[in-house]
Amino acid sequence: MTANLLDFDLEGLAFFCEGLGEKKFRATQLFRWIHQRGMSNFDDMSDLAKVMREKLKAHAHVAALPILSQQISKDGTIKWLFDVGGGDAVETVFIPEDDRGTLCISSQAGCAVGCRFCSTGHQGFSRNLRTSEILAQLWFAEHFLRQYLNQTERVISNVVMMGMGEPLQNYTALIPSLKAMLDDHGYGLSRRRVTVSTSGVVPMMTRLSQDCPVALAVSLHAPNDALRDNLVPLNRKYPLNELLSECTLYLNKAPRDFITFEYCMLKGVNDQPAHAQELVTLIRHHASRGLRCKFNLIPFNPFKESGLLRSDDAAVEAFASVLIQAGFVTTIRKTRGDDIDAACGQLAGDVMDRTGVAQRIAQQRAVPIQWTDRKIS
Ligand code: SAH
Ligand code: SF4
């Protein structure tokens, strides 16, 4: 087995190159070929010495994930389903907007947190993705999109870790992938434009603020512990007061001066005016200790197994106005890619038993999508 170079951030790649007897700075050139130019064929990396290229061919490779499907929505949203082996598949979604291009990336196959309203949670946990599997989603999407949109400049300006899985429960693989996203020799994304979304793994939030502070979104979904225990089972381990205190601390290191609170609107469950009032009281208490935040209300993307329903538009608006009147910046997430069921963080079309995935993968394998290196003229 040779090493997949998508497993490394620049520091890791430098270490790998040293192991091959190459100078550290060669890693920078290699890193740029891979991430900035989307190359995987070492022979095409013309400024690397032939000897180094031969060593790389013997000991390394750059491998994309096999694509099971690609769906393009009328609004330009693109969803890919990638095969990560063993009957597991993960989704990646590209969301184009006027002023940015956002890629929503998965961090795990399945998820152990088991939130009631989340289709990934209903699948259960299969395994952590490797760094290469996290980064391959960006690597592929960026270079595919440049070609597809006929653009030479960067297409993806924002990354949100809001696909399948709880990124802070896959911390070891997450950090090098974030570093490669931020690296000027990699994707050069601003820390403010890379967002980790978490259901509230408090100790790992502390570590993230130390190791690689990026923008933080916290999935709140409830204004009190009783309800949150029920919707986000991790709350039993890290209850709201602890979570919100950690959010306040995170701001000391964060690249943005606020935390985004995500709140999935579930009809009759957490969407009543009384919930909004309770939320205001809770957040005001923490705001008096320094917490700064914005709310993002997410219309629930329903799926049968959840037994839950999407809140009516009027309820969402009424909820938003309570927050706004209390002085909190509040947005309601637009649903995108509805026709391909690609709302970010919501992979409901794919609530599936593992056998279902395996079958689908077998079918899709029959029609592989070709992916070739682009040569630089
Ligand atoms: N595990 C992380 C990141 C992945 S989920 C987290 O929970 O934050 C990304 C976002 O999608 C979360 O805010 C989650 O609450 C939301 N989400 C999950 N299922 C959803 C659904 N069915 N409808 C709408 N939003 C959903
Ligand atoms: Fe996991 Fe996030 Fe889904 Fe909860 S909402 S089950 S933490 S992916």
Side-chain angles (χ1 to χ4, degrees), residues 111 113-115 117-118 120-121 163-166 199:
C111 181
V113 178
C115 299
F117 50 85
C118 173
T120 309
M164 299 163 104
E166 170 48 59
S199 55

Side-chain angles (χ1 to χ4, degrees), residues 107 111 113 115 117-120 161-167 197-200 217-221 262-264 298-303 333 344-348:
S107 56
C111 181
V113 178
C115 299
F117 50 85
C118 173
S119 57
T120 309
M161 298 301 304
M162 291 186 186
M164 299 163 104
E166 170 48 59
S197 175
T198 181
S199 55
V218 172
S219 296
L220 217 49
H221 311 310
E262 295 160 281
Y263 197 102
C264 181
I298 315 174
F300 173 55
N301 223 325
F303 59 102
R333 185 180 291 172
C344 191
Q346 163 43 27
L347 313 157

Side-chain angles (χ1 to χ4, degrees), residues 79 91 119 301-303 340-341 346-352 360:
K79 178 173 85 168
E91 285 189 328
S119 57
N301 223 325
F303 59 102
I340 58 164
D341 197 9
Q346 163 43 27
L347 313 157
D350 299 296
V351 173
M352 42 199 164
R360 204 152 138 200

